[in-house]
Amino acid sequence: MASRLGRVLVLAGAALTLVAATMPAQAESADKILKSANVEHVANLPKKGAFTGPDAFNSDLAFQGDYAYQGNYNGFTIYSIKDPAKPKVVSQVTCEGAQNDVSVKGDLLFLSVDDPRDSDSCKSDYGTPTSKKSWEGIRIFDISDKSRPKYIKAVETACGSHTHTLVPDKSGKSVYLYVSSYMPADIYPECKPPHDRISIVKVPLKKPTDAKVVSRPVLFPEGGNEQQSGLLLPTSGCHDITVFPSKNLAAGACMGDGVLMDISDRERPKVTATVTDENFAFWHSATFNNTGTKVVFTDELGGGASATCNATIGAKRGADAVFDIVDGELVHKSYYKISRHQDSSENCVAHNGSLIPVKGKDIMVQAWYQGGVSIWDFTDSSAPKEIGYFERGPLKPRSIGGSWSAYYYNGFIYSSDIQKGFDVLRISDKLTDPAAKVRLSILNTQTQLPF
């Protein structure tokens, strides 16, 4: 979600009201499941405990072995997915701090906190954004005992950590976290403009308590895209970064800009190509194909709170854009957006997804908030097409919801639903069936390792 909680969610909410006024209501009943014939709804675990409230948004997912890790604005949950048809909660940690986007490495779990807190403690309260005493950044947990995660370290970063990307170093002894954050203002003592940079945290794997910020590279020395009409926010950093370590390559979705980066020097990434698009309001995330020759960028029009999957908005806004990488440059080939128009109350826009590992094909599963989950093929960059989907009817009472992240892992699709919990899906289709043979030991989706 684009909006920094407590700072611009009101902006996105206003967009929802504006768009809703232009659209007629549809007839689907609340929570009715709609899906293509090739998609099976295998399981659902509702939110529980401290995460049941409507403001306890489920967020991103990561996977390792037989476990799935789900962020939530109130903390995180660890699931056993040894039997995907019967997922089980192993533990739930209450530790407030939007968005609590999550990644894992070995016995370590990392959370992004983009919400000023009055301390770095899991018992902290919402802090004062204008106070130097407020904290936001990265929290690190020891998850060697999955039933009892242990909070071991906090690293403060400028402007917080809206998202982070785990980047392995070349020795295997450390990992880097590329921290994306944005929305500087003169009233924020540790987040003043210009903020055309990211923060890089180095975590020694054998001594993670020594984790610290090692660099703050400027990606946009000339300011980035700040003038384009229709931007949700001008470029002031990045929203999300995806890395392709084997090629020393990264793609950044940076608010008003899409970029390619050379990450040969992990602590000093360099922008090598930049692109803008008149139809994009907020460059949100990026996904490479398996050969690192294409990038799918998403436009989170309305900040994730708006009803944008409708005829009024059209097929080119709030969509994906498929780019080929040609001689180091990004060449636009097409747009992709779900064709099912959603109810006027349903927040719906392109969001987080991952590749389905089919050799020789470019197939992706993707979350669309209340637009549900879409499985689509972009092997032909110029003619992407949907091959399966899953969604629910509009939430009642009306609220922000739907699939935040939908990722393919070891034969199943896992969806983090903001309000409805943890969904397990399976697609049976001749195009995707070969993926069931691929087994991964870990999946942090923004760290793309070729299958």
Side-chain angles (χ1 to χ4, degrees):
M1 183 169 286
S3 305
R4 301 192 71 195
L5 191 66
R7 299 187 190 180
V8 294
L9 194 52
V10 173
L11 174 68
L16 174 61
T17 302
L18 177 63
V19 173
T22 70
M23 290 297 299
Q26 293 182 357
E28 289 99 344
S29 61
D31 296 336
K32 177 182 178 181
I33 289 177
L34 306 171
K35 63 183 185 65
S36 56
N38 58 356
V39 172
E40 175 188 358
H41 189 201
V42 176
N44 170 262
L45 280 181
K47 296 194 295 186
K48 61 177 288 186
F51 298 177
T52 56
D55 294 330
F57 292 178
N58 281 331
S59 59
D60 215 353
L61 294 168
F63 303 86
Q64 190 174 44
D66 291 330
Y67 297 94
Y69 304 84
Q70 181 182 45
N72 180 285
Y73 276 45
N74 284 357
F76 65 92
T77 301
I78 300 178
Y79 299 94
S80 169
I81 53 171
K82 187 172 185 179
D83 182 353
K86 297 179 180 179
K88 298 177 181 178
V89 174
V90 177
S91 59
Q92 187 178 78
V93 175
T94 301
C95 193
E96 291 186 13
Q99 302 181 129
N100 276 337
D101 276 4
V102 61
S103 69
V104 291
K105 175 67 174 179
D107 290 333
L108 301 176
L109 178 146
F110 307 99
L111 288 182
S112 278
V113 179
D114 192 28
D115 197 14
R117 313 298 300 175
D118 62 8
S119 76
D120 62 17
S121 165
C122 281
K123 296 182 180 180
S124 64
D125 291 320
Y126 187 81
T128 304
T130 56
S131 171
K132 281 189 175 183
K133 295 182 180 180
S134 289
W135 178 92
E136 49 190 333
I138 296 288
R139 287 174 171 147
I140 304 175
F141 290 78
D142 182 331
I143 53 170
S144 53
D145 182 349
K146 304 292 188 291
S147 65
R148 293 186 178 183
K150 181 181 178 182
Y151 181 26
I152 59 171
K153 176 69 174 181
V155 180
E156 188 170 19
T157 57
C159 298
S161 175
H162 194 70
T163 64
H164 71 270
T165 303
L166 190 150
V167 188
D169 78 351
K170 295 180 180 180
S171 71
K173 295 179 180 179
S174 300
V175 294
Y176 292 99
L177 305 178
Y178 285 7
V179 175
S180 295
S181 56
Y182 55 93
M183 281 203 71
D186 287 328
I187 60 172
Y188 303 145
E190 295 175 316
C191 185
K192 292 181 178 293
H195 180 73
D196 298 312
R197 63 179 71 229
I198 61 173
S199 295
I200 299 180
V201 176
K202 186 175 184 178
V203 185
L205 294 175
K206 290 187 176 180
K207 197 173 182 182
T209 52
D210 283 350
K212 64 180 180 180
V213 175
V214 292
S215 66
R216 296 181 63 223
V218 174
L219 302 182
F220 302 98
E222 297 180 1
N225 183 9
E226 298 180 342
Q227 304 299 323
Q228 178 182 315
S229 175
L231 289 179
L232 178 67
L233 293 165
T235 298
S236 61
C238 290
H239 178 275
D240 209 347
I241 295 169
T242 295
V243 296
F244 201 104
S246 64
K247 281 195 166 185
N248 292 318
L249 189 62
C254 302
M255 306 177 68
D257 297 86
V259 304
L260 288 179
M261 288 182 271
D262 179 345
I263 59 168
S264 300
D265 184 337
R266 298 289 196 256
E267 296 184 13
R268 297 170 182 81
K270 296 180 180 178
V271 172
T272 59
T274 302
V275 66
T276 60
D277 188 323
E278 64 181 3
N279 289 311
F280 265 43
F282 192 91
W283 294 72
H284 175 276
S285 52
T287 302
F288 288 100
N289 68 341
N290 189 54
T291 55
T293 58
K294 301 178 184 180
V295 186
V296 174
F297 286 103
T298 66
D299 172 26
E300 195 185 41
L301 175 68
S306 295
T308 75
C309 298
N310 53 56
T312 302
I313 298 298
K316 294 182 179 180
R317 300 173 60 216
D320 297 315
V322 181
F323 288 82
D324 285 354
I325 301 174
V326 181
D327 296 329
E329 298 295 327
L330 290 163
V331 179
H332 180 265
K333 303 299 288 187
S334 64
Y335 295 102
Y336 171 75
K337 189 173 183 179
I338 60 172
S339 59
R340 295 173 303 285
H341 290 168
Q342 301 297 303
D343 186 87
S344 60
S345 68
E346 292 180 283
N347 60 301
C348 175
V349 75
H351 213 237
N352 294 344
S354 75
L355 292 184
I356 296 180
V358 179
K359 186 176 180 180
K361 298 288 186 180
D362 299 325
I363 302 176
M364 186 172 174
V365 58
Q366 185 175 9
W368 288 78
Y369 290 118
Q370 288 194 68
V373 174
S374 176
I375 301 104
W376 59 289
D377 184 344
F378 63 103
T379 306
D380 182 346
S381 301
S382 299
K385 59 183 179 180
E386 185 172 76
I387 59 177
Y389 70 92
F390 169 90
E391 65 170 285
R392 292 182 169 93
L395 289 168
K396 302 291 174 62
R398 172 175 170 167
S399 63
I400 300 297
S403 181
W404 179 292
S405 300
Y407 301 143
Y408 188 95
Y409 181 71
N410 292 349
F412 293 84
I413 293 168
Y414 296 89
S415 170
S416 177
D417 190 288
I418 293 170
Q419 302 295 352
K420 296 300 179 181
F422 183 71
D423 284 307
V424 185
L425 311 173
R426 177 164 46 201
I427 182 168
S428 299
D429 190 280
K430 64 181 181 180
L431 283 174
T432 59
D433 287 348
K437 299 177 182 179
V438 178
R439 285 294 178 266
L440 304 177
S441 59
I442 189 169
L443 180 65
N444 295 298
T445 303
Q446 285 75 33
T447 310
Q448 284 195 234
L449 306 176
F451 51 80

